[in-house]
Amino acid sequence: MSSALSTDAISLHQKRGTLGTGGPQAETSMMLSVKLDELFKEGYGRDEVFGIAIPLLMQGKIRVNRGNDTERLEIEDKDLRLQRTAAIQVFENYLLSRELESTVPTIILPHSRD
């Protein structure tokens, strides 16, 4: 699998539930980039997100426990599982793309005074 793969091209299936309840789980689909953005917004550090993303990209699935909540993430296309070096490259490309987005200057055009 090519390391040029983007997190915007990897679709995930997510199940959320509460530990020990055995109740219904909320299920959604999203792109990996959206999930990574969500983790960063929730306060996860780069190393923590790395620790979730790399096993997910290599194994195709991972379970994340947060307090009483649990989340199962699974790559929808099993053929997208990557070797470790390719998974790291995908994650680094994601980080680079987000850094570039945050450093793009905003151009403010002057208003005409008619």
Side-chain angles (χ1 to χ4, degrees):
M1 185 58 44
S2 170
S3 63
L5 187 63
S6 166
T7 56
D8 291 325
I10 301 172
S11 184
L12 299 179
H13 184 75
Q14 173 183 270
K15 289 183 184 178
R16 285 186 172 193
T18 303
L19 291 172
T21 64
Q25 297 180 333
E27 297 186 32
T28 56
S29 291
M30 65 179 62
M31 302 313 290
L32 177 57
S33 59
V34 172
K35 183 62 190 177
L36 297 178
D37 289 344
E38 179 183 296
L39 291 169
F40 279 115
K41 287 177 187 171
E42 290 176 4
Y44 282 75
R46 180 181 174 151
D47 290 343
E48 294 168 308
V49 176
F50 180 91
I52 293 169
I54 301 308
L56 174 61
L57 288 167
M58 292 175 61
Q59 299 164 10
K61 59 186 173 183
I62 191 168
R63 189 170 110 182
V64 181
N65 294 327
R66 302 186 297 188
N68 287 334
D69 295 328
T70 185
E71 199 171 77
R72 180 176 171 84
L73 302 171
E74 191 168 343
I75 295 176
E76 290 184 356
D77 183 352
K78 300 293 184 219
D79 292 333
L80 293 181
R81 287 184 289 182
L82 305 173
Q83 297 294 321
R84 183 170 177 78
T85 54
I88 291 170
Q89 186 63 52
V90 167
F91 184 71
E92 288 178 350
N93 289 345
Y94 162 81
L95 292 174
L96 181 61
S97 72
R98 293 311 186 252
E99 288 173 12
L100 290 175
E101 285 177 10
S102 67
T103 60
V104 173
T106 302
I107 300 173
I108 300 173
L109 300 174
H111 293 334
S112 62
R113 298 188 183 250
D114 291 336

